[in-house]
Every structure is written in C-alpha cells, then in structure tokens.
C-alpha cells in the first residue's frame, strides 16, 4: 500500500532499463519500496539493473516484456499482478528514434510510434484494469515536452508522445474516483544515454531530478508534473506562438 | 444507494473512494451498509467468497490513517446498526449496537446521571471503533483504555458465526486494539461512569517549558480524573515545550451556580458551521500556527482553579467545527502519536527538540501521562508519556523526518498508535508491539483466508 505521502511499497517499471525509471526506483527504494519488478526485453543490462536494486535492499525481479508485442501484454502483466498488489506502475519505455532516418524510412518511424504510443496504450490499459481491480495504485506515465507542440526537429517522436500524453490524461479522467491515480510526467531535455551525443536544450535536466519530481508528485497526488517546473510557463507561452513564427524559432 | 434492498449482497453497493480523517491515500472500496445482524452476516459471508478482497468494519471514520479502508474490497459501514438495547440505570451499564456513537450515548445517558467511561477528543466515534482501536482519553492515568470498561461484546467472525466474547479471553484481548481485524463487533455492554452534572470543574495552569510540564504532571496528575496538556511545539530555546495544562473532574451538583442547578445534566453541545470543502492548502503554515500558538499560550491563565466548563468544551472542542479536518486543504494531514515509557524522558525531550528545531507547524499537539498498560495485545497505551501532533502531509521531507522520530521512539521501547498511523515502516512494528506474533497467530487460526483485511493490515502486514 502507498503511505500517506504516496510512497509505494511495490513498484513495476515498464521499460526496466530506462534511466529515469531506475533513478525513480532507487529513490523510492530508499524510502519505502520493498518489491520492484523490472519489465523489459531480456538483456544483461536488465539483469544488472535488477542486481543494483537488490543491493539497495529491494526484492527485485525481472520479467520479459516487449512494448512492440501488445498481444502478450495481458498475459505477462497479469502474472505480475497475480503475485501481489502493485502500488505504482511506471510506464517508462520509449525510443527517441532518428528524425532524419525515420523521415526517409517510414518503417523505422512506425516503430517509434508503435513503441511510444501503441505499446503504451496497450500496457497502460492492461495495468489500469489491474489497478482498478485492486482499488488503489498510481500509474505514472513518462511523456515529454516534445509532445506539447510538434517541432520540425523531432516531430515523429513528438507526435508519438503527444498521443501518449493525450491518452494518459484521458485515462486519468476515466479513472478519477476509482482510487487509481494517473500522473503524466513531462520532462524537458533529459541528459541520459537516450540523448547521448546531442546538444543540451535549454532547461536540460537529469534522471535524478525527474525522479525527485515524481516522488513529490506522488505526495501531492498531482495529475501533471513538468520537470523542471518552469517548463510549464515556457511551454504555455510556446503553445500560443503563431505557426509562422514557431517554425523559425531555434527550438 | 439502494435503501430498500433487503440483501446487501444482491443490492448494488456503490464503489466509492474512502480515506481516513487525515484525508491522505484514498482507495476505493464497495461500501456496504448493513441495517441488521442478518445483513452484517450476509456481508461478511460475501467478503469471504473467492476472488473478493475481504472486508473491514468502519464506524464514523475518525481513525486518521488507513485503518478503515480496504482497497478493492468491501468496507462495512456499521453506523446503521445504531440501537441502544438496554440501559441499567442502577448498575450503570448500557447494552448497544456497535454503530452507536459516543455522542448518542451521552445524549441518552447524561440525563440519567451516567457518562461514558472513556472519551477521546471527539464524541463522533462508534462503540465498535472504540473497542477496535481501544481508545484512550484524558482519564487514562486513572481509568485505562476503553475496553477495560467493556463487560462483553458480540463478534461476527470470519466463518460468519457470532461469538460472545468476555474479558480475559484471547479473543477479547486480540480484538481490543485489533483494528477490526479479528471480526466485526456487533453489540457491546459497557460499564458507565456516574456523574451528578454535565459540567466539569477545571484547573488551568501554564508550564514554562517541557521539564516544568513533566514535573507538574508527575507531581499532581493523581489529584485529577482528567488531565491533558496542550503543548507549543513551535516554541524554541528556553521556552521549548511550554504548555497549558487543563485538568479537572466532573463537577458535583453543589459546585454549579444556582441557575445551572435547575437542569444540571443538560447536554446541548453547539457547533459552528462546518469548515467548507474548498479550503486551500497552506492555511496552516509556520507563520499562522506560530501566531495561533503564541496567542493560545498567552490567553491561558497562569493559574486558575475551579472553573466550571461545559463537558463538550472540556473534552471535545474540535467537535464544535464539523469537518475541521478540511482546514488542512486537499493534501490532508498526518497525525503522529507515540508513547515512551517512564524513564525515557530523555527520548521525549529529544523528539520535542527535533520537532521544534524543524519548525513543524503543529497547533494541535497534546502531551499526556498514561497510567497502567491495557491488556489488549495491540492496545497502544503503556505507562509513560504520549505526545500527539498534527502535521500537514505536504510538508516537504516529512516522511523521512517522521521515520527518524520512529527510530528514536523504537529505540526507547516506545510505539506509535495504529489508529492514527498512515506511514509507519512495517519493519518496526514487531519491536513496538511485542504481542504482534500472538495476534498474527490468532488471526491465522480464526481467519485463515484473510476475510478481514484493511489497507492498514496490507501496509503493515498485520
């Protein structure tokens, strides 16, 4: 069960090698979390991440999960929930893709969309139903500021996150009053292996800062969390910039 | 809600979000409202069906944490079982349903010259809840906790049977303070306290600091039936732990002014309009609470004896503002109450110092000296000092801070109160409650399939 501060005792990370996901898990394990499930494609990195969490004292298990195989989601996640209540699901998987290549190879673009959007819709709905059956729990969805307004530089990734963001907000409204809490997290540019080699965008942040924002958001039962918080104001302004001007902005 | 339904299992019981009085950690449950013993039995049998997530009895929802919540399962609202079956006005006992509130008992019993044996800081608790949490009041140093005044109760257990439970049995001691996890209390017979009037004679005095406070309580508590101290946890330095002691007893008839003597047992508590539901967060910050505490301390007389107060003013000032828990805003609040034994005054000092250094905005903090321990296996009181305080749940870092206090309390063989808990680290429970293994063993025997479950029992693996 979550405590009065929204800190979970059990956690399921979808995308078990996600740096933000693992930073959040480490932070929550330091507080109350005792059971962690890392769901991801089987790999040495996934096992290494699990071992690191075990060293922190959490009973950590891995489960083979592929966002691109939605047919299997119900069975795989059903087994996890059958082992005991999950207080928090962190939907952390996603790929950035390569905008130039993806524009040239539509099949590659489809993979981005299928991972970030279709896969998340499937896993999100499966988890939402299980949480609703429990009568409690948080579904934390990692969205992105890139979904707030599509940019020339990464609109394929951005549009997949826009879809995910809209989906998660709607799901949160659907689950309002059921005891299940859905929180959309919109980080800006996060320095991680996913963005390695790219130039920092303004207001760049780190996985640990996102993890802290998630913990605070759980405590406040927030529905949307911006990281850093100032992005809320910045994006609110950018959203209203006319198309012709926005196109020319160096963002 | 289907008021006309006969069988609660067949009727459509609403699934609603449920929280404790602190309004943190909401979870949803099917709310079943039995109106008779038969309906209660049917409800418990339904909870036991495979695939269901169990059930827990709930009274008026005054437990601060998650004791009367059951995520995804059933919550049995017992407040419709509210009949007073018999009053023995000579011997001073009452036999009533578990859903009867102490408020109702006072309304009925005071005109007959009787008072409940133990009352907490609110009248809005049920008899069932009073047994389940084995509540204590300002008279604990004299009278002990609630269950000591219970002659017997009927318990609906996991097998759907009703047992009569007598003091001195394992089932009685597991149920007193057992947070509803042994079964559903249906009725109880309670021994009452004789009173001549519905007024109190109250002595008030100020204590300059924590040591002064403890010295005064130790020296003179035995002279009073009721004793409690409001403590200013924001005061620092030499004034740390300054307090206002209010102690008293039921007023005898001849202590009342002539006019009041015409109707000495009148009980007509008044209340203000309820706190509105839209109050924002942050009303109770350091500044406002600091100001309140300063005024509260200054307005208290340095020393006054024999003041006549209304019973509700003395015992239940907060009942004067319905829904007062809303003043903490939508984020809710946490109540932290612990006890440390005599000889552990140094721990109490350290905890008060930590709270004062950290500037926790708490305006409802009370210190009390407990009497003998109660027989309930999970009953909270042990002889020593108990401190209770309210803190807004959104205070940054509060979780880790309270964990630090837990460590101090546990190291001193103290414990925290489960009826108020919403955040204890489960690993500390066994150290705080030495009879926990007996409790778990009895539950495993009596309720092998876990029919009675609550968010509290899941969180702490009770």
């Amino acid at each position: 069960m979550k405590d009065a501060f929204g800190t979970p005792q059990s956690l399921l990370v979808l995308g078990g090698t996600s740096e933000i996901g693992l930073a959040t898990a480490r932070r929550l394990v330091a507080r109350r979390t005792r059971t962690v499930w890392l769901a991801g494609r089987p790999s040495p990195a996934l096992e290494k991440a699990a071992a690191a969490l075990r060293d922190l004292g959490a009973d950590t298990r891995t489960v083979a999960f592929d966002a691109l195989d939605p047919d299997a989601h119900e069975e795989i996640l059903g087994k996890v929930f059958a082992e005991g209540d999950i207080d928090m699901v962190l939907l952390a998987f996603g790929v950035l893709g390569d905008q130039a290549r993806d524009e040239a190879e539509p099949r590659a673009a489809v993979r981005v969309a299928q991972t970030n959007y279709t896969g998340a819709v499937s896993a999100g709905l499966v988890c939402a139903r299980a949480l609703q059956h429990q009568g409690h729990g948080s579904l934390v969805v990692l969205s992105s500021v890139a979904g707030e307004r599509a940019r020339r530089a990464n609109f394929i990734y951005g549009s997949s996150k826009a879809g995910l963001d809209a989906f998660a907000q709607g799901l949160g409204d659907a689950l309002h009053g059921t005891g299940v809490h859905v929180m959309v997290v919109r980080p800006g540019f996060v320095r991680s292996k996913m963005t390695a080699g790219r130039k920092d965008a303004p207001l760049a942040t780190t996985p640990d800062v996102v993890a802290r924002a998630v913990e605070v958001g759980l405590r406040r039962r927030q529905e949307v969390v911006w990281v850093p918080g100032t992005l809320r104001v910045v994006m609110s302004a950018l959203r209203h910039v006319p198309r012709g001007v926005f196109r020319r902005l160096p963002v | 809600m289907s008021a006309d339904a006969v069988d609660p299992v067949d009727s459509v019981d609403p699934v609603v979000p449920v929280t404790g009085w602190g309004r943190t950690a909401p979870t949803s449950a099917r709310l079943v409202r039995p109106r008779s013993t038969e309906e209660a039995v049917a409800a418990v049998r339904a909870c036991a069906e495979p695939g269901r997530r169990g059930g827990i009895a709930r009274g008026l929802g005054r437990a601060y944490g998650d004791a009367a919540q059951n995520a995804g399962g059933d919550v049995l609202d017992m407040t419709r079982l509210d009949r007073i079956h018999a009053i023995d006005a000579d011997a001073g006992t009452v036999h009533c349903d578990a859903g009867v509130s102490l408020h109702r008992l006072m309304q009925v019993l005071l005109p007959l010259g009787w008072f409940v044996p133990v009352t907490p800081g609110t009248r809005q608790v049920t008899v069932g809840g009073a047994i389940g949490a084995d509540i204590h009041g300002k008279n604990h140093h004299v009278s002990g906790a609630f269950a000591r005044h219970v002659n017997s109760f009927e318990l609906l257990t996991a097998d759907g049977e009703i047992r009569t439970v007598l003091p001195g049995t394992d089932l009685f001691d597991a149920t007193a303070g057992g947070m509803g996890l042994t079964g559903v209390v249906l009725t109880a017979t309670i021994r009452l306290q004789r009173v001549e009037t519905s007024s109190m004679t109250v002595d008030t005095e100020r204590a300059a600091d924590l040591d002064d406070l403890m010295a005064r309580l130790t020296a003179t508590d035995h002279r009073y039936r009721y004793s409690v101290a409001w403590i200013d946890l924001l005061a620092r330095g030499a004034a740390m732990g300054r307090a206002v002691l209010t102690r008293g007893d039921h007023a005898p008839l001849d202590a009342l002014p002539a006019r009041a003597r015409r109707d000495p047992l009148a009980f007509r508590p008044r209340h203000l309009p309820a706190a509105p539901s839209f109050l924002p967060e942050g009303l109770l910050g350091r500044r406002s609470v600091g100001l309140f505490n300063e005024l509260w301390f200054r307005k208290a007389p340095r020393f006054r004896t024999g003041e006549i107060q209304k019973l509700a003013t003395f015992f239940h000032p907060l009942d004067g503002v319905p829904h007062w828990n809303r003043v903490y805003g939508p984020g809710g609040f946490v109540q932290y109450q612990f006890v440390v034994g005599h000889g552990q005054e140094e721990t109490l000092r350290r905890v008060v110092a930590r709270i004062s250094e950290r500037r926790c905005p708490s305006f409802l903090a009370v210190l009390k000296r407990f009497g003998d321990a109660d027989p309930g296996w999970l009953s909270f009181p042990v002889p020593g000092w108990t401190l209770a305080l309210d803190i807004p749940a959104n205070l940054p870092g509060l979780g880790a801070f309270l964990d630090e206090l837990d460590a101090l309390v546990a190291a001193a063989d103290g414990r925290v109160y489960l009826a108020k808990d919403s955040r204890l680290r489960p690993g500390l429970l066994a150290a705080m409650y030495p009879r926990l293994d007996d409790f778990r063993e009895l539950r495993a025997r009596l309720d092998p399939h876990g029919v009675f479950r609550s968010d509290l029992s899941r969180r702490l693996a009770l």
Side-chain angles (χ1 to χ4, degrees):
Chain A
M1 296 303 304
K2 284 188 290 183
D3 67 9
F5 310 112
T7 322
Q9 289 179 313
S10 54
L11 168 70
L12 165 61
V13 183
L14 299 174
T17 52
S18 148
E19 278 181 67
I20 295 176
L22 292 172
T24 307
R26 282 195 298 276
R27 203 172 170 90
L28 294 174
V29 166
R31 295 285 314 123
R32 278 290 183 278
T33 308
R34 281 290 152 268
T35 310
V36 181
W37 290 86
L38 296 181
R41 278 194 292 261
S43 71
L46 188 67
E47 293 308 323
K48 216 178 116 204
L53 288 173
R54 269 180 219 120
D55 288 345
L56 295 176
D59 173 18
T60 310
R61 294 161 76 177
T62 57
V63 55
F65 168 87
D66 187 350
L68 290 172
D69 184 12
D71 291 341
H73 286 180
E74 191 135 15
E75 192 197 333
I76 290 168
L77 298 175
K79 277 184 191 157
V80 172
F81 278 91
E83 299 261 337
D85 282 11
I86 299 290
D87 300 340
M88 168 176 162
V89 177
L90 178 58
L91 205 156
F93 60 78
V95 290
L96 198 50
D98 176 331
Q99 179 70 26
R101 189 201 61 198
D102 293 346
E103 280 180 44
E105 285 178 44
R107 288 177 67 94
V110 165
R111 273 177 72 84
V112 173
Q114 281 180 337
T115 306
N116 294 355
Y117 180 67
T118 320
V121 167
S122 161
L125 286 174
V126 170
C127 290
R129 192 190 309 155
L131 293 174
Q132 209 178 340
H133 175 72
Q134 288 179 177
H136 73 104
S138 288
L139 174 62
V140 179
V141 177
L142 288 189
S143 175
S144 166
V145 285
E148 187 67 12
R149 184 161 187 185
R151 289 185 294 139
R152 169 68 190 91
N154 71 350
F155 65 84
I156 293 175
Y157 171 78
S159 65
S160 71
K161 286 294 186 183
L164 171 64
D165 198 294
F167 165 76
Q169 287 184 62
L171 187 63
D173 289 339
L175 294 175
H176 185 80
T178 64
V180 181
H181 159 232
V182 179
M183 183 165 89
V184 180
V185 181
R186 294 183 190 144
F189 183 92
V190 181
R191 291 183 207 105
S192 68
K193 64 177 190 286
M194 188 162 114
T195 57
R198 286 164 197 260
K199 209 163 74 319
D200 272 14
L203 297 172
T205 182
T206 66
D208 287 319
V209 175
V210 180
R212 190 168 63 210
V214 168
E215 193 193 346
V216 172
L218 287 169
R219 189 179 76 217
R220 296 190 179 152
R221 277 177 270 156
Q222 281 175 302
E223 293 179 314
V224 177
V225 174
W226 297 86
V227 196
T230 40
L231 270 177
R232 180 180 176 184
V233 184
V234 173
M235 290 313 293
S236 154
L238 278 181
R239 202 182 302 133
H240 297 97
V241 172
R243 271 291 274 289
V245 179
F246 186 73
R247 229 179 341 249
R248 288 187 208 104
L249 284 181
V251 289
Chain B
M1 232 163 282
S2 53
D4 301 324
V6 180
D7 184 352
V9 181
D10 292 336
S11 67
V12 184
D13 296 304
V15 173
V16 293
V18 182
T19 72
W21 192 242
R23 305 210 302 165
T24 54
T27 64
S28 75
R30 188 180 300 105
L31 191 69
V32 186
R33 307 187 70 204
R35 284 172 306 176
S36 65
T37 305
E38 292 72 39
E39 289 189 358
V41 171
V44 167
R45 292 221 159 115
C47 294
E49 281 166 21
R52 302 283 286 261
R53 286 169 58 92
I56 191 77
R58 179 180 175 96
L60 286 163
R62 257 39 176 210
Y64 287 78
D66 47 10
Q69 299 174 222
N70 181 23
D74 291 14
V75 167
L76 276 59
D77 177 341
M78 299 301 290
T79 53
R80 283 185 177 183
L81 283 167
D82 61 352
R83 269 170 305 172
I84 297 176
H85 295 285
I87 299 168
D88 185 335
D90 298 321
T93 61
V94 60
H95 175 58
C96 64
D97 282 346
V100 174
S101 69
L102 296 194
H103 175 75
R104 177 100 187 99
L105 283 183
M106 286 175 209
Q107 281 182 326
V108 172
L109 295 170
L110 274 168
L112 303 173
W114 295 99
F115 188 58
V116 294
V118 168
T119 174
T122 171
R123 299 183 297 279
Q124 303 298 338
V125 297
T126 62
V127 167
I131 294 170
D134 201 10
I135 58 167
H136 58 268
K138 299 181 184 184
N139 58 348
H140 186 273
H141 61 294
V142 176
S143 307
F146 192 87
R148 268 207 235 178
H149 307 271
V150 174
N151 279 346
S152 72
F153 58 79
E154 284 182 306
L155 188 71
L156 169 56
T157 47
D159 49 14
E161 303 296 320
I162 298 168
R163 300 161 195 236
T164 301
V165 187
L166 298 173
T169 59
D170 279 359
L171 190 50
F172 190 100
D173 291 342
T175 304
M179 306 311 292
L181 295 167
T182 56
V184 179
V185 177
L186 293 174
T187 67
T189 306
I190 305 157
R191 289 190 302 279
L192 303 166
Q193 164 74 39
R194 168 74 84 186
V195 293
E196 288 181 22
T197 71
S198 63
S199 297
M200 309 294 295
T201 54
V202 183
D203 291 0
T204 307
E205 59 193 287
R206 286 195 216 165
D209 58 38
L210 187 61
D211 287 334
D212 183 24
L213 171 63
M214 287 195 283
R216 284 169 194 258
L217 288 171
T218 306
T220 51
D221 243 12
H222 62 275
R223 294 188 203 152
Y224 300 93
R225 183 186 297 278
Y226 300 99
S227 159
V228 78
W230 168 85
I231 178 167
D232 180 2
L233 289 173
L234 278 172
R236 280 185 288 191
M240 189 188 86
R242 68 179 179 180
V244 178
L245 288 79
T246 47
R247 300 186 289 183
D249 204 340
H250 297 283
L253 191 59
D254 54 25
L256 294 191
R259 250 189 77 197
R261 258 180 249 175
R262 269 180 266 154
D263 189 9
L265 291 162
F267 180 63
R268 289 182 287 272
R270 275 183 290 217
H271 59 80
L272 299 168
S277 57
F278 47 79
L279 288 174
E281 220 113 288
L283 283 182
L284 299 179
R286 277 174 198 136
R287 212 173 286 254
S288 55
V289 172
L291 187 68
F292 170 88
N293 285 4
E294 188 68 37
L295 290 173
W296 196 257
F297 185 77
R298 299 268 167 225
K299 101 171 181 30
R302 270 176 217 286
F303 194 78
R304 179 173 63 194
T305 58
E307 185 200 1
I308 301 290
Q309 279 186 4
K310 291 226 170 74
L311 192 144
T313 313
F314 180 74
F315 286 112
H316 318 117
L318 284 169
D319 283 352
V321 186
H323 295 292
W324 65 262
N325 56 341
R326 288 175 178 164
V327 302
Y328 286 96
F333 68 104
V334 171
Q335 168 139 136
Y336 188 67
Q337 182 170 5
F338 68 92
V339 59
V340 290
H342 291 302
Q344 300 291 350
E345 286 75 14
E346 195 45 47
T347 303
L348 179 65
R349 255 180 230 118
R350 282 173 67 189
V351 171
V352 171
R354 293 283 292 118
I355 296 169
S356 156
E357 277 159 27
R358 206 192 137 86
R359 319 284 297 138
C360 277
S362 177
F363 77 109
L364 297 172
V366 292
L367 184 80
K368 157 127 199 91
R369 204 167 158 271
F370 273 154
D372 292 343
D374 295 279
W377 292 350
L378 299 188
S379 283
F380 169 65
V382 293
W385 304 94
T386 183
L387 179 70
L389 57 144
D390 288 8
I391 316 168
N394 275 340
L395 201 68
L398 183 60
F401 176 67
L402 292 179
D403 284 352
E404 282 173 42
L405 300 190
D406 282 345
L408 291 174
V409 169
D413 293 327
R415 52 174 63 158
V416 300
Y417 190 10
L418 294 181
K420 301 197 167 172
D421 179 58
S422 54
R423 31 72 42 203
L424 180 68
R425 191 182 286 280
L428 282 175
L429 195 65
M432 292 181 167
Y433 288 91
R435 303 285 314 253
L436 182 64
D437 283 342
D438 295 329
F439 182 79
R440 283 180 175 149
E441 200 256 327
L442 180 135
R443 269 193 82 207
R445 211 160 10 96
L446 195 70
D447 183 7
H449 303 296
V451 173
F452 296 110
R453 270 182 264 174
S454 62
D455 288 0
L456 177 84
S457 80
R458 283 195 191 91
R459 184 167 55 80
L460 295 178
L462 269 173

